[in-house]
Amino acid sequence: MIDLRLLREDPDRVRASQRARGEDVALVDSLLSADERRRSSGVRFDELRAEQKSLGKLIPKASADEKAELLKRAEQLKADVKAADSERDAADAETQRLLVQLGNLVHPEVPVGGEEDFVTLETHGTIRDFGAEGFEPKDHLELGSILGAIDVERGAKVSGSRFYFLTGVGALLELALVNAAIAQATAAGFTPMLTPALVRPQSMAGTGFLGQAAQDVYHLDKDDLYLVGTSEVPLAAYHMDEIIDGDRLPLRYAGFSPCFRREAGSHGKDTRGIFRVHQFDKVEMFSYVAPEDSQAEHQRLLAWEKQWLNSLELPYRVIDVASGDLGASASRKFDCEAWIPTQGKYRELTSTSDCTEFQSRRLSIRVRDGKQVKPLATLNGTLCAVPRTIVAILENHQQSDGSVRVPEVLRPYLGGREVLEPVAK
C-alpha cells in the first residue's frame, strides 16, 4: 500500500497515478475523506479518554453533592468513549479497505497507456531467416512430439486443457534449465530457496495478488489457503512482520517453485502447446533493498535476466511496460520478450518489477536504519519460466531434420549433449 502521508501531502500525484493505470480516480477522494474521519475520530476518542481518566481521579476526593454530579458525568463519558471508539474503529476499517484498493504509484518515466503502449528499450540477437536456410520452422509442439519431449494430449486426458507432460528429453531440459538458472543466481549472490506452494491469505493479499489478479488465483476453500502463481508470494512474505537491520541489505533470494494460474482472462489465447498453461515451474529472483536503492536494483535484476537470455542464445527485446499493464504492486516493470519464429513476434519470457515500499507496508516488513525504522523496498524478477523458455529454445535452435541444438550453457546439465535428437517412433 502507499504511504497515507504522501496521499495527504500530494493527492494530485496519487490521482495522476490512478489515471495512468486506468483505475478509479474518485477512490483517492474517498480515501482522503475516510482518513480525515479516522484521524478526527481518533482525536475525539483520545480527548474523551483523557477527560474520563481525570474524572476518575476527582471522584474519590469530591464532596457528596459534587460526587453525584461527577458520577453522572462519568456515566455519560463512558457511553461517549464507547461510541467514539466504535466510530474510530469503523473509520479505520474503511480507510484500510479503500487503501488496499489503490495500486502502487506509477514511476514518472513509465509510458502511459494499455498493453500495446509499451516502449522498446533494447533489441538483442539475430532473428534467423529460415527461408534462407531452406526450410519452414516447426512450432514447439511439433518439435516436442518429434523429440518425445512434450505430451499435451495425455496432459489434457489426466488434468484438462492447458496441462501437459514433459517426457524424456523434455523433462531433462527442464532440469537443465532450472539447474543452470540457479547456478547463475547463486554466482550472483542470491540465496537459493525452495518455497511453499500454498500460502495463507495474508501472504497472498500482502503481495497484491488478491486485487486485480484475484481471478487468476486458485483458492482451497476448505483450508483457506492459496496456490501461488509465483514464488514471489512466499519470498515476499518470508520476512513478514519483521524488522531487518540495515547492514543486512540487500537480501537476495532465488526461489524455485511450481506456479498455478487459472488464466481466467485468456480464453482462446495461446491454446496450442505449452506457452500459456495452468501449472509450470519457475526460478524467481527476489530482492529486499533500502528504498533509495530500488531503481538501481531494478536495473541489476534486468541485467541478470539479459545475462540469462544471452546465455541461451535467444533473440529478444526489452520493453518498458505501460502504466495500464503494470499490475497493482509494480511502480515500474521491464519485460524481456523472446522472438518466437512460428508466431512471428516477440513474447514475454521474463519480467522484473520494482514494487518500492508497496508490499513491505502491507506485509509489515521494515528496516532499522540507525534509530529510524521504516519500510524497505521489494523487487522481483523472473529468471526462468520453464515452459515458455522451452518453447523459445526449441523454436529458435531447431534444425531442418527436427533436431534442436543445445545452447552451450545447458550442455553440462545434459551430460554434454550438444543436440536433442528425434526419437524413433
Side-chain angles (χ1 to χ4, degrees):
M1 62 184 72
I2 68 167
D3 187 350
L4 274 173
R5 285 177 300 178
L6 188 151
L7 174 73
R8 296 182 208 117
E9 294 167 3
D10 195 358
D12 285 341
R13 181 182 171 193
V14 185
R15 291 187 187 101
S17 179
Q18 282 289 96
R19 196 173 294 112
R21 287 180 172 277
E23 298 291 333
D24 183 11
V25 178
L27 178 61
V28 177
D29 294 307
S30 298
L31 180 54
L32 282 168
S33 177
D35 180 50
E36 176 56 35
R37 292 196 304 275
R38 179 184 68 89
R39 290 192 294 152
S40 60
S41 62
V43 169
R44 174 165 169 74
F45 173 81
D46 291 340
E47 290 173 346
L48 289 169
R49 281 289 291 144
E51 185 181 351
Q52 192 178 42
K53 288 178 181 177
S54 297
L55 200 63
K57 294 176 182 178
L58 293 175
I59 290 173
K61 303 173 184 177
S63 65
D65 290 342
E66 291 174 332
K67 186 174 290 187
E69 195 63 33
L70 290 173
L71 286 171
K72 184 179 178 182
R73 176 58 182 155
E75 197 62 31
Q76 181 61 49
L77 271 175
K78 182 180 178 182
D80 290 346
V81 166
K82 184 176 180 181
D85 189 29
S86 177
E87 183 181 347
R88 181 187 62 174
D89 287 348
D92 185 61
E94 177 68 359
T95 300
Q96 292 301 314
R97 184 185 71 81
L98 294 172
L99 184 58
V100 298
Q101 293 179 41
L102 273 182
N104 200 354
L105 290 178
V106 175
H107 188 282
E109 293 181 20
V110 169
V112 175
E115 185 177 355
E116 299 303 319
D117 295 310
F118 60 85
V119 171
T120 301
L121 301 176
E122 308 169 35
T123 304
H124 296 267
T126 302
I127 295 173
R128 285 174 65 184
D129 183 349
F130 286 93
E133 294 182 33
F135 73 100
E136 187 77 19
K138 300 175 178 62
D139 76 4
H140 73 277
L141 193 55
E142 185 177 357
L143 290 164
S145 176
I146 293 170
L147 299 171
I150 303 170
D151 191 335
V152 295
E153 291 181 0
R154 290 185 175 91
K157 177 179 71 174
V158 171
S159 302
S161 63
R162 298 191 191 270
F163 287 93
Y164 61 97
F165 285 86
L166 292 181
T167 57
V169 75
L172 294 177
L173 184 54
E174 158 150 353
L175 295 173
L177 284 165
V178 170
N179 277 290
I182 289 292
Q184 178 188 303
T186 303
F190 286 79
T191 300
M193 304 276 276
L194 298 178
T195 63
L198 290 165
V199 297
R200 292 175 170 174
Q202 57 265 45
S203 300
M204 189 66 80
T207 43
F209 284 95
L210 292 186
Q212 297 168 324
Q215 65 173 352
D216 271 337
V217 175
Y218 285 99
H219 182 233
L220 306 182
D221 292 324
K222 185 175 180 180
D223 306 284
D224 197 18
L225 291 171
Y226 290 89
L227 284 165
V228 300
T230 166
S231 60
E232 173 192 343
V233 177
L235 290 173
Y238 185 64
H239 289 293
M240 181 168 55
D241 299 323
E242 294 181 20
I243 297 175
I244 298 169
D245 287 332
D247 58 9
R248 292 183 60 197
L249 299 181
L251 289 173
R252 297 188 178 110
Y253 302 117
F256 172 69
S257 78
C259 305
F260 303 88
R261 301 184 183 181
R262 289 187 181 277
E263 296 292 351
S266 65
H267 181 73
K269 295 181 182 177
D270 301 308
T271 55
R272 179 174 169 81
I274 63 171
F275 191 85
R276 191 185 297 274
V277 292
H278 290 308
Q279 178 185 341
F280 61 95
D281 295 325
K282 179 158 68 87
V283 176
E284 181 82 1
M285 299 179 290
F286 197 89
S287 300
Y288 294 84
V289 302
E292 60 272 17
D293 195 35
S294 72
Q295 292 185 49
E297 183 72 2
H298 201 195
Q299 292 295 331
R300 285 188 283 266
L301 288 168
L302 177 59
W304 283 315
E305 291 181 347
K306 289 161 57 180
Q307 176 188 342
W308 172 245
L309 296 178
N310 288 335
S311 74
L312 295 177
E313 304 167 46
L314 296 173
Y316 67 95
R317 70 181 180 186
V318 179
I319 67 169
D320 199 347
V321 175
S323 56
D325 199 31
L326 286 175
S329 298
S331 175
R332 193 175 195 182
K333 181 191 292 187
F334 302 124
D335 284 358
C336 293
E337 300 182 328
W339 179 258
I340 306 299
T342 61
Q343 295 186 24
K345 57 185 175 182
Y346 290 98
R347 301 299 305 272
E348 178 193 336
L349 228 60
T350 73
S351 182
T352 177
S353 298
D354 181 0
C355 297
T356 61
E357 302 165 26
F358 186 82
Q359 293 176 330
S360 66
R361 288 183 182 277
R362 295 164 74 109
L363 293 165
S364 189
I365 309 169
R366 294 171 292 167
V367 58
R368 181 179 285 107
D369 182 9
K371 294 182 179 179
Q372 186 182 19
V373 174
K374 60 183 181 180
L376 44 66
T378 61
L379 301 96
N380 63 80
T382 311
L383 192 53
C384 180
V386 172
R388 290 189 177 199
T389 307
I390 288 177
V391 169
I393 287 173
L394 295 185
E395 294 208 11
N396 281 286
H397 296 316
Q398 63 179 293
Q399 302 181 111
S400 59
D401 61 355
S403 64
V404 174
R405 187 180 63 81
V406 177
E408 286 190 23
V409 71
L410 298 181
R411 293 175 187 176
Y413 304 98
L414 284 166
R417 194 177 323 206
E418 298 181 7
V419 176
L420 306 181
E421 300 283 0
V423 295
K425 295 294 184 182

